[in-house]
Amino acid sequence: SARGRRRAMEFTWRGSPSLGPKADVKGFILSQYGNYGPPPGHCYDQLCSDPLWQDNPALEDYNVPIMVQRFEAAVNKKAAWFR
């Protein structure tokens, strides 16, 4: 989107022309998908099928290092949308 290219994900919404700036609402866009939600691969809702964090190294499916790496990548990608 144009906002993403300009790194202008913050905005001010003027809620009432008659009330002026005191009624302004500051906002920002949290997702490239137009909704509020977790980064890809980190949805733990009952309707999601993303893997859960397995933080016991004795478990066969221990996955903390890869989960941290994926989460950091998602945060860094989102951070690039802002100035």
Side-chain angles (χ1 to χ4, degrees), residues 39-42 51 63-76:
H42 293 277
N63 63 359
V64 169
I66 190 68
M67 295 295 278
V68 168
Q69 182 181 22
R70 289 177 182 166
F71 189 78
E72 285 179 334
V75 168
N76 289 332

Side-chain angles (χ1 to χ4, degrees), residues 1 6 10 12 25 31 35 38 41 48 54-55 66-68 71 76 79-81:
S1 78
R6 291 191 320 263
E10 303 93 355
T12 301
V25 175
S31 171
N35 62 358
C48 299
Q54 300 297 336
D55 61 354
I66 190 68
M67 295 295 278
V68 168
F71 189 78
N76 289 332
W81 300 346

Side-chain angles (χ1 to χ4, degrees), residues 23-47:
D24 285 357
V25 175
K26 300 291 184 187
F28 55 94
I29 298 175
L30 293 171
S31 171
Q32 68 188 26
Y33 309 109
N35 62 358
Y36 175 78
H42 293 277
C43 179
Y44 309 118
D45 188 275
Q46 65 186 16
L47 302 176

